[in-house]
Amino acid sequence: MAVLMNEQIKASEVLLTGIDGEELGVMPRDEALALARRHKADLVCLSLMSSPPPCKLIGKGTAKEAALREKRNTDPGRTLKVKEIRLTVGIEDHDYDTKRRQADKLLTSGHPVQLAVRLQGPKQGAEAKALLERLSADLSASGKRATGIQVSGKGAAVQLNPLR
């Protein structure tokens, strides 16, 4: 949610709180803006869900910094999806190294990784578990297990989270 400040607030009246948290009551927006200028502060709208909207006087620049910090922390681009890497039980060494490097790259960039092994028959469960044990041990420098190795009917999987 964007922070509305100063002239961006369009309501004719606001419920104002002072710099030290004291209640100043309902007053016209223009009067609240003049008060903010006198105190060298910003008029910040706290919520648009009520009428008149509650606003607060906050020291100059503090509100913008807080809004930027909040945006950085809750940026939709920062939600990290779990990336899946699929393997088979009969994987060759070269392909294994490629998958390991791929998982390592994802983990060091901060993404959690789901390692999944597809099983062709019921007897491959132990082999799949051994493969996932080996791969998670090889990736221990960049990630740690979030779950244990889960072997079900048609597959085996383990999730690794980045260390940082």
Side-chain angles (χ1 to χ4, degrees), residues 2-16:
V3 175
L4 293 180
M5 290 174 36
N6 302 328
E7 283 77 21
Q8 294 175 336
I9 300 170
K10 301 296 181 198
S12 56
E13 288 186 325
V14 296
L15 176 62
L16 190 64

Side-chain angles (χ1 to χ4, degrees), residues 93-114:
D93 290 339
H94 171 72
D95 296 329
Y96 175 85
D97 291 338
T98 303
K99 296 289 186 178
R100 183 187 45 76
R101 276 195 309 273
Q102 189 179 24
D104 190 44
K105 187 176 176 184
L106 288 168
L107 286 167
T108 53
S109 68
H111 291 278
V113 174
Q114 172 99 16

